[in-house]
Amino acid sequence: MVTDEINVKGIVLDVFPQNDYNKRLIVLTDELGKLTVFANNARKPGTKFSAVGQKFVMADFTLRQGRNSYTLVKASIIRPFIELTSDIEMMCYASHMCEVTSYFTREGMGATDELNLLYLSFCELLKGRLQFSLIRSIFECKLLDIEGIGFQVDIYLKHGGHMSPTVQYAVQYILSKEISEVFSFDLLPDAEKELAVLVTDYTKKHCDTHFKSLDILGSLM
């Protein structure tokens, strides 16, 4: 019996080698959430899946569903984001965003907002307009809001938390704006550092894992 093929748009969050020829991809898709996808011969240079079988690539994927995973049938790259790998710090921030996104997303649960946020975050990293650390803070703050656990400014202040007026406005701005608008502001260094500490602590409280990418980022600072 031939299994129907499905078409989805997605971003490759992570890549793992499978024997000498194949790769296992973790792909965040708009309609089906996070999927495990096997790409045959993707480890061979010059084959049809060698280009799409890379981390950060955004593409239209045609997949064949198996029992516990999917097999890549064909793919059309929308944007490879290969530029993210040109700078070690930028690549580490992009990897961290992928790792956090992977933590919160699941197979079968639509992830259109998460996909859009990740895509726009990659674009912002490449623009070079904002500090990478600020982009990460905005990304995490908005992602947690998408997942239904957004920062509660009033509750935080009511329980003795400290937040400068500038950072309070920044958090409220991120939470109130559409995904396409959240990267439209900048902060001075002190406020940017305050926001980074605030968002990092809040993310830790809502994640029962340690993100390995943070260790790499920490070693670069």
Side-chain angles (χ1 to χ4, degrees), residues 56-109:
F56 311 136
V57 168
M58 185 176 196
D60 287 318
F61 298 90
T62 299
L63 309 174
R64 183 177 296 116
Q65 186 173 10
R67 182 172 297 178
N68 298 309
S69 62
Y70 294 79
T71 299
L72 184 58
V73 177
K74 60 182 178 180
S76 175
I77 294 178
I78 298 171
R79 186 163 180 180
F81 282 114
I82 193 172
E83 311 100 307
L84 292 172
T85 64
S86 65
D87 177 273
I88 185 64
E89 184 181 2
M90 180 166 54
M91 182 175 66
C92 287
Y93 273 101
S95 294
H96 176 69
M97 293 171 184
C98 287
E99 190 176 9
V100 178
T101 301
S102 183
Y103 175 86
F104 281 107
T105 50
R106 300 288 182 272
E107 181 176 349
M109 298 177 63

